[in-house]
Amino acid sequence: MIYIRLEPEGRTMHFPRLGTVLQLLRKLGLGNNAALIIRDGELLTPDRRLHAGDEVVVRTVTSRG
Amino acid sequence: MKCRKCKAVAAVALPSHNTAFCPDCYPVFVRSQVERAIHRHKMIAPGDRVLVAVSGGKDSLALTLLLHELGHDVHGLHVDLDIPNSSTDARAACEGFFAKLGLPLTVIELRREGLAIPLVKSRIKRPICSVCGKLKRYYFNKFALENDYPVLATGHNLDDEVSRLFANTIRWDHAYLSDQGPLLPAESGFARKIKPMYRLTEFEIANFSFLRGIDHVIAGCPYSGKASFPIYKGLWSGLEERMPGAKVQFYENFLREGRPVFAAWSDQQGQLPTPCTECGYPTSAERCGVCRIKAMVADDEK
């Protein structure tokens, strides 16, 4: 299972399987440059692979006011 | 994906530049973009004291750090809007950040001016985002002039600028199109305004802020739900996804080809602002927008 935390909403979700960061972004309906993808304090580019047990933060970057 | 410079594993991919950077090389790229903007538009003269308008968000705090590291004399100014569940965090982020860097920060509290945003929102029928923006610009400019700061810097990024240009273009708003740009010279009671981050997208600044450990506010303003700019930003993100580089092309080409035409039109109109009869702030009416807002709030209280 791959665990996802969406920021700034604070919502959590999980996926049984995901290949890459790009697949995660597509599942969430996000463009490549719409969010920071953070795993263990490290930024991931869209080509990086995700693994079972990963805890990933998806932090959208569009500021609102 | 590998870093363009050192071939280490990349942390940030930038399709619009057809490149990628590792955590060590990426801040160097961001810094070069800001340096280039300052140099190209002659934004800051040697010895200028720079007043930076800070909100507590990633853009203005990243700008503060970059200007400080580039050796500029930086002073922060934060306007506390008094919005519940928002302003306390924003102010704390600014105060913590400036204390960490050892830089001076001034806070103006709208509550003390009788203009706390929740109060204004309850009394004014106009969209609160435009009123809030007007109040902030007023106090930033006033503080800069009263304290002899030759330059007022804001953290507007490429997405902000493209959204604003797009909104102005949809309306074919000649007046706004005539003076939109990364540098507004000092004139008619306005301080010189600069936007050194105009070449960087929100994504690029968010990556920089993360890599440099900037502790900024992440949650959006609770009152911004009806703001139109996020809609424009969404449209442009979709376009940029399919056509990398579209944003910077739209904006830079406007600066080169479009703005001079609108500026010439504006010069022909020849209408200069005059001082507000109440506070002296430059305005095209007898009384400036902020004095009118104050009067509306006061009238309702009576």
Side-chain angles (χ1 to χ4, degrees):
Chain A
M1 197 68 76
I2 296 168
Y3 302 92
I4 310 294
R5 178 180 165 80
L6 301 174
E7 292 185 359
E9 303 92 327
R11 202 153 52 88
T12 56
M13 56 201 304
H14 56 269
F15 294 99
R17 192 176 300 158
L18 281 169
T20 62
V21 167
L22 185 62
Q23 286 178 11
L24 169 61
L25 288 165
R26 293 296 173 267
K27 288 249 185 205
L28 297 172
L30 295 171
N32 288 13
N33 289 359
L36 303 188
I37 308 298
I38 306 159
R39 179 180 61 194
D40 296 332
E42 182 192 11
L43 290 174
L44 304 180
T45 50
D47 61 320
R48 295 288 295 275
R49 295 204 72 79
L50 297 174
H51 309 289
D54 278 352
E55 294 179 12
V56 178
V57 173
V58 177
R59 184 180 296 169
T60 49
V61 299
T62 304
S63 57
R64 289 172 50 230
Chain B
M1 212 173 268
K2 303 285 186 201
C3 173
R4 183 177 80 185
K5 281 191 157 183
C6 71
K7 309 304 175 201
V9 175
V12 187
L14 302 176
S16 60
H17 295 270
N18 195 25
T19 192
F21 292 101
C22 72
D24 291 333
C25 295
Y26 182 69
V28 179
F29 161 79
V30 169
R31 186 171 150 149
S32 72
Q33 294 293 311
V34 171
E35 268 185 304
R36 193 193 292 189
I38 292 171
H39 180 72
R40 186 190 286 181
H41 295 276
K42 298 182 175 64
M43 291 180 173
I44 305 172
D48 274 353
R49 295 161 68 227
V50 183
L51 182 67
V52 184
V54 288
S55 64
K58 63 185 184 310
D59 305 309
S60 57
L61 297 188
L63 173 62
T64 302
L65 179 63
L66 285 159
L67 290 178
H68 174 60
E69 290 183 346
L70 287 169
H72 297 292
D73 184 1
V74 175
H75 185 136
L77 178 62
H78 174 71
V79 174
D80 187 333
L81 306 169
D82 207 35
I83 297 173
N85 306 317
S86 172
S87 294
T88 307
D89 289 347
R91 179 172 175 166
C94 294
E95 289 175 337
F97 186 74
F98 274 75
K100 199 169 151 189
L101 290 182
L103 295 174
L105 172 74
T106 300
V107 177
I108 293 174
E109 297 178 351
L110 287 191
R111 184 168 43 87
R112 290 181 187 274
E113 306 290 325
L115 291 168
I117 292 299
L119 174 68
V120 175
K121 186 174 185 286
S122 70
R123 304 282 163 83
I124 304 254
K125 291 192 177 99
R126 286 168 51 199
I128 192 61
C129 291
S130 76
V131 176
C132 183
K134 186 185 278 291
L135 291 172
K136 284 191 284 188
R137 287 192 296 276
Y138 175 92
Y139 284 104
F140 289 144
N141 189 61
K142 191 165 178 276
F143 187 90
L145 292 178
E146 287 176 355
N147 294 279
D148 296 324
Y149 285 93
V151 193
L152 170 59
T154 59
H156 290 98
N157 56 50
L158 181 62
D159 293 275
D160 296 326
E161 287 298 279
V162 166
S163 303
R164 185 166 168 232
L165 175 58
F166 188 58
N168 292 337
T169 305
I170 284 175
R171 299 194 310 272
W172 288 115
D173 191 320
H174 296 74
Y176 283 131
L177 287 166
S178 71
D179 71 355
Q180 180 176 352
L183 169 73
L184 292 177
E187 59 180 7
S188 312
F190 290 108
R192 186 190 339 155
K193 294 193 186 74
I194 62 170
K195 300 170 185 172
M197 311 268 270
Y198 87 93
R199 295 177 57 84
L200 294 160
T201 64
E202 286 196 290
F203 177 73
E204 289 164 357
I205 297 169
N207 279 288
F208 175 81
S209 297
F210 178 85
L211 290 171
R212 292 302 309 272
I214 295 175
D215 195 8
H216 61 85
V217 170
I218 293 172
C221 173
Y223 290 170
S224 68
K226 289 183 181 170
S228 53
F229 274 21
I231 299 169
Y232 299 139
K233 283 183 179 178
L235 286 172
W236 272 92
S237 293
L239 189 61
E240 181 76 19
E241 193 79 20
R242 289 166 183 79
M243 300 167 59
K247 287 179 195 171
V248 76
Q249 200 174 34
F250 179 57
Y251 190 67
E252 291 281 13
N253 286 352
F254 162 74
L255 292 181
R256 199 169 45 248
E257 309 289 346
R259 181 175 143 151
V261 177
F262 290 105
W265 172 87
S266 179
D267 287 346
Q268 283 175 2
Q269 305 304 303
Q271 193 187 2
L272 285 175
T274 52
C276 169
T277 51
E278 288 185 24
C279 72
Y281 192 80
T283 175
S284 54
E286 193 176 308
R287 200 161 52 157
C288 77
V290 171
C291 285
R292 290 200 299 272
I293 292 166
K294 278 183 176 174
M296 273 188 260
V297 172
D299 282 351
D300 270 17
E301 276 184 347
K302 282 174 201 166

